[in-house]
Amino acid sequence: MEDVSREPGAVPAHPGSPSPQAPRRGRRRASSRPALARRTRRARASTSPSASPSASPSTSPPARRRGGARADRRRRRAEGLPGTLGVTLLGALVPGAGFLYTGRRLLGALVLLPVLALLGGAAWYVGRDLRALLAFAVDPTRLTIAAVVLVLGLATWVAVVYLTYRQVRPPSRPRWHTAVGHGFVLVLCLAIGAPFAVAARYAQVQAGLVGTVFDDDRNESATVPTDVTEEDPWGGRERVTVLLLGGDGGEGRTGVRTDTVILLSMDTTTGRAVTVSLPRNLMNAQFPEDSPLHDLYPTGFSGPEDDGFYMLNAIYGQIPERHPGILGKSDNEGADALKQAVEGSLGVPVDYYLLVNLKGFEDVVDAIGGITVNVNEPVAIQGNTDLGIPPVDYIDPGPDQELDGFHALWFARGRYGSDDYERMDRQRCAVDAIIEAADPMTVLQRYQALAETGQEIVSTDIPRRIVPALLDLALKVKDAKVKSVVFRPSERFFSGDPDFDYMRQVVAKALEPRSRPGLGKKDPGRAEDPEDSCAYAPADGTDATGSTDTAASY
């Protein structure tokens, strides 16, 4: 019998086959629910006002990074390439100003305020006391710290400049704008940052120079004043003296002989200075009565050997060799002995010494670009009068001769065909020419070479603690007139048998605040102006203009 419950259109089952399964309508409905939900959401979104093309942008849903979008709208960008470069330049000259322009106030303040504080502190430090600045310049520790700070500050400044450029440039720009912008930042960092890099290098070089030349640990002296302090660098003295020595350790010389001996005496209040030049062949040099050397040489430095062992320039090498440690603990016994010889001979206390080895004189002149001097007669290069060895060349006479280091060295040391006194004059002229050539700009440009040379050729017993005061005094000396006393052969003076009483009188007269009246030009005890002996005055008595001028003799 036919199954009446079968739905219309249903296929009848084959006899004997299993009955068909009912459709799994419940599962289909369950699996379609997520899809149905998605379709519902799409339909709702398509009918929402925000999806309509005519909808206003203000009604669009906010982006996910709601706070970031508001922050971006507050940031200010430069317009175009000129604006970008201008704001970047402003940020380089006034670090932090570029950040303030873009609206990053906190970041700008964190950069700008420390810079202003640093500049203000530096201006106050420099302006309040020159002595404090000089003390800074001769303190290796502070100089090293300054070099490190400058390097770190330069690196930070470069980062600030580049970040400023990145933040002010427009979001959309041509590629060539980007290339020009990066090139501008590079040139800007090189142009403005280079002086700071040089300053850091100079600070490091200066620290090395001071630490080497004014090293109290290895410049111990038995003859320096013991009553000086930073507060009272002169120990109450009205004048301070420095013995300037030129050590000639050239070929064929045993050790160093101080062929240049000049005593510099400076008024600690006015800067008025007097130089006293002594001939290298001065015999019988005296020692102060309270010196152990006076007990050994009561009548002066002399003995049974060749006279060459007892000239003034031999004391530097002979005393340490013959009487080691006689003056006490010292790192340069020769300089201490020579200081006492000059003090006993001139009757003037000698406080400190400064030795320049003439082997490095050539490097100093080359480092400052040469010197200009007047050459009044041919000056021999090399040669030996005693051995009959002729010079290899000559420095030609003429006004305003420009000399490099090699020729300047022989101008100062050449003795073939001339005497010690002519050479002493040339040495003083060479020193004056170096001072004139070493203008501030030249010194800055060539400072590294000068400092490196100075470490090799300069030694002294000047304590580091009084160097700032001494530099301050040197500035006064530069502005004051310097007089010079030179002992030349005359009726009153002979280097082979000097009249030391006369020499002391001449020096005492030159050191008086005012010269005594009644001194004539031909008075051999009169202090002279170094410009007279360094002027152009050829041997025939005519100068560059054809007029005559006779220099005073002493």
Side-chain angles (χ1 to χ4, degrees), residues 40-349:
T40 303
R41 286 196 298 270
R42 292 195 194 103
R44 291 176 180 175
S46 63
T47 57
S48 65
S50 60
S52 175
S54 60
S56 173
S58 60
T59 60
S60 60
R64 292 181 180 179
R65 297 181 62 182
R66 181 181 297 268
R70 286 199 299 266
D72 289 338
R73 286 196 295 270
R74 288 199 301 267
R75 302 302 180 220
R76 184 182 179 185
R77 300 269 186 164
E79 296 183 3
L81 181 61
T84 301
L85 301 184
V87 177
T88 302
L89 178 61
L90 175 64
L93 299 177
V94 186
F99 298 148
L100 295 177
Y101 175 87
T102 62
R104 294 171 171 83
R105 298 178 180 178
L106 178 59
L107 181 59
L110 290 176
V111 174
L112 181 59
L113 293 181
V115 170
L116 294 178
L118 183 62
L119 293 177
W124 170 81
Y125 188 86
V126 173
R128 69 186 178 97
D129 186 7
L130 177 61
R131 184 78 60 83
L133 179 60
L134 294 175
F136 174 84
V138 296
D139 188 332
T141 301
R142 284 190 281 182
L143 286 169
T144 302
I145 293 175
V148 174
V149 170
L150 284 171
V151 171
L152 295 178
L154 179 59
T156 303
W157 177 82
V158 169
V160 168
V161 172
Y162 183 68
L163 186 58
T164 299
Y165 163 73
R166 296 272 300 182
Q167 291 183 349
V168 302
R169 64 183 182 179
S172 299
R173 60 200 175 277
R175 290 186 176 180
W176 70 271
H177 280 200
T178 302
V180 171
H182 282 89
F184 177 78
V185 171
L186 177 61
V187 172
L188 189 64
C189 291
L190 292 176
I192 299 181
F196 292 93
V198 172
R201 175 58 181 161
Y202 280 7
Q204 184 180 7
V205 171
Q206 174 70 3
L209 173 65
V210 174
T212 301
V213 176
F214 301 101
D215 186 353
D216 294 341
D217 294 333
R218 68 172 191 168
N219 291 341
E220 188 171 2
S221 172
T223 58
V224 294
T226 58
D227 57 349
V228 299
T229 61
E230 291 186 25
E231 294 73 20
D232 185 11
W234 316 130
R237 296 170 180 79
E238 295 181 358
R239 303 190 72 89
V240 61
T241 55
V242 180
L243 187 61
L244 306 177
L245 305 174
D248 194 349
E251 297 180 2
R253 308 295 295 270
T254 302
V256 175
R257 293 189 181 183
T258 52
D259 285 352
T260 301
V261 181
I262 301 175
L263 180 65
L264 172 63
S265 177
M266 299 169 285
D267 188 301
T268 57
T269 302
T270 64
R272 177 177 174 269
V274 176
T275 62
V276 182
S277 298
L278 294 173
R280 71 179 185 92
N281 59 351
L282 182 75
M283 303 298 297
N284 304 321
Q286 305 291 296
F287 295 105
E289 293 184 359
D290 59 351
S291 170
L293 291 173
H294 183 271
D295 298 334
L296 296 175
Y297 304 96
T299 61
F301 186 57
S302 60
E305 297 94 335
D306 187 320
D307 288 345
F309 288 98
Y310 296 98
M311 293 192 301
L312 183 65
N313 71 338
I315 291 178
Y316 186 90
Q318 290 296 315
I319 293 297
E321 181 179 336
R322 300 184 181 198
H323 315 287
I326 189 172
L327 296 177
K329 190 174 181 180
S330 173
D331 291 317
N332 194 331
E333 296 181 74
D336 283 334
L338 191 53
K339 285 169 63 177
Q340 293 210 339
V342 173
E343 179 175 336
S345 299
L346 300 181
V348 177

